[in-house]
Amino acid sequence: LTMYGSGAPLWGNGESLSAPANKHGGADGSGGGSYKSYQDGGAVDSRLPRQGNAYMYRAPTLEGGTYQEQQSHIVEDSLKTNYEAEGTAAAVLSQMTTQRYQLKAAHDDVWEMREATEKAKRELADMHAKSRKKKQRLQMIIAVLAVTDTFLLLRLLRCGGSFFCG
C-alpha cells in the first residue's frame, strides 16, 4: 500500500474507514472523535463566499500539524467521503431496485385488470345481444298469441259462443 503524507494510514492498521468509529466521531455516535472533517460545516456559515444563491467552494483551512499530517487528514477525509458516497449510492440503488419491482408489479396488475375489463366488456356485450334476441322472440310469440286470441274471439262472436260454426 502507498502511504500518503507522513502519518500511518488507517487501512494499514487493519481498521476500516467505513466503521462506525470513524464516521464523524466516536463509535457511540457522540461525536467525540478526535478528527473533525473540514467538510463537516454543520450550519451554513455566513462567512462563506456566495455567488447568487449558491455557496462557492472554499479550500479547507487545517490548523496545526505538519504539511504531511494535513495532507493525510485530507486524504483520509476524502476516503471517508468516498465510502459514505458508496454507501449512499448502494442504498439509493437498493431503493430504486425495490421501486422498480414495485412498479413492474403494479404494471402487471394494471395489465391484468385491463384484460379482465376487456373480457367482462365482451361478456356483457354477448349477454346484451342474447337478451335482445330473447326479447325479440318473446315479442314475436306475444304478437302470434295476440293474433290467435283475436281470431278466436272473432270466431266466438260470429258463431254465437261456439267454436264450431255449422
Side-chain angles (χ1 to χ4, degrees), residues 46-63:
S46 62
R47 296 174 289 153
L48 291 176
R50 293 181 66 159
Q51 182 177 7
N53 290 336
Y55 289 95
M56 296 172 48
Y57 173 77
R58 184 179 69 184
T61 54
L62 299 173
E63 298 175 9

Side-chain angles (χ1 to χ4, degrees), residues 88-102:
T88 302
V92 168
L93 180 62
S94 173
Q95 287 177 343
M96 289 177 72
T97 301
T98 301
Q99 290 173 353
R100 176 178 172 252
Y101 287 119
Q102 289 173 344

Side-chain angles (χ1 to χ4, degrees), residues 59-119:
T61 54
L62 299 173
E63 298 175 9
T66 65
Y67 177 77
Q68 288 83 7
E69 290 172 346
Q70 291 176 354
Q71 292 301 311
S72 291
H73 286 303
I74 290 173
V75 169
E76 289 172 4
D77 189 55
S78 296
L79 287 172
K80 286 181 184 180
T81 302
N82 182 39
Y83 286 127
E84 289 173 3
E86 284 181 10
T88 302
V92 168
L93 180 62
S94 173
Q95 287 177 343
M96 289 177 72
T97 301
T98 301
Q99 290 173 353
R100 176 178 172 252
Y101 287 119
Q102 289 173 344
L103 286 172
K104 185 173 179 351
H107 177 268
D108 293 344
D109 290 345
V110 167
W111 184 256
E112 289 174 9
M113 185 60 68
R114 283 183 181 173
E115 288 178 343
T117 302
E118 287 298 319
K119 182 180 177 184

Side-chain angles (χ1 to χ4, degrees), residues 121-137:
K121 188 177 177 182
R122 284 190 303 271
E123 288 176 357
L124 285 173
D126 290 344
M127 289 172 62
H128 182 66
K130 287 179 184 179
S131 105
R132 193 173 342 120
K133 285 182 181 179
K134 286 182 180 181
K135 184 177 178 182
Q136 287 175 349
R137 187 175 48 177

Side-chain angles (χ1 to χ4, degrees), residues 20-37 40:
N22 295 320
K23 288 187 176 181
H24 305 291
D28 59 352
S30 63
S34 62
Y35 176 69
K36 172 119 174 78
S37 170
D40 293 341

